[in-house]
Amino acid sequence: MAEARGTGPRVTTSVVAALQTGAVGPEGLLGWEDEIRASVTVPGPETRALAGLSARTGASLVVGVIERDGSTLYSTVVFLDPSLGLVGKHRKLVPTARERLVWGRGDSSTLPAIPTAAGLAGAAICWENHMPLLRAAMYAKGVELWCAPTADDRDVWQASMRHIADEGRCFVISAKSWPVH
């Protein structure tokens, strides 16, 4: 990230649960106790640190975290602006597969379209990218930058990202949680 400073508008997206080392990996999710320990509050010290990084680099950041709200964990994306800090968040609407054992459901109240210097940004987390009504809702908001953190390493993921770029007439930025072997 430190090298990101330069000229022109910049937006970067991270992987799912970026702040939690090893939270998602080739074998899947950590145990629920590890996820609780790795979770963050939004807003909180971790989002303030990310806001500082955004300010130092001049880049808008879209970062995946495991959010803790009371006793519930969420797969969440936070949006950080270089001048304003934390400007929004999106909680994954429906946890996928094993995630349902640990993470709560989000709702459409956290489905923002966030202005950035590079355009209007939105995010869909992993399997949400395969939800036609979510995509339609984001397209209706005029999203120009589609951020897609994922744990999916299948070939079909690239096809899905190309489809979203074409269908939504938007740029797509996707980041994967672990190296493809």
Side-chain angles (χ1 to χ4, degrees), residues 5-125:
R5 192 128 182 106
T7 60
R10 289 165 311 286
V11 175
T12 185
T13 193
S14 77
V15 298
V16 174
L19 296 184
Q20 293 71 39
T21 302
V24 181
E27 276 76 61
L29 299 173
L30 291 175
W32 64 270
E33 294 147 328
D34 295 319
E35 293 212 8
I36 290 170
R37 281 192 291 276
S39 64
V40 301
T41 56
V42 178
E46 294 85 1
T47 56
R48 284 191 292 279
L50 288 169
L53 177 62
S54 176
R56 287 190 307 279
T57 61
S60 295
L61 306 179
V62 182
V63 180
V65 301
I66 299 172
E67 178 190 7
R68 180 182 60 255
D69 186 0
S71 61
T72 303
L73 300 180
Y74 298 93
S75 178
T76 299
V77 167
V78 293
F79 296 83
L80 300 119
D81 178 89
S83 299
L84 303 173
L86 178 66
V87 291
K89 71 178 179 182
H90 164 57
R91 289 178 173 165
K92 188 173 185 178
L93 297 179
V94 181
T96 308
R98 259 184 70 193
E99 295 170 356
R100 293 178 183 156
L101 300 173
V102 180
W103 293 342
R105 287 176 167 245
D107 62 53
S108 63
S109 71
T110 65
L111 198 59
I114 304 291
T116 74
L120 201 58
I125 303 167

Side-chain angles (χ1 to χ4, degrees), residues 129-130 135 139 146 148 159-170 172:
N129 288 278
H130 299 291
R135 292 195 317 268
Y139 301 153
W146 187 280
S160 295
M161 296 300 97
R162 286 191 301 271
H163 169 82
I164 289 169
D166 183 53
E167 177 183 67
R169 300 295 189 244
C170 57
V172 174

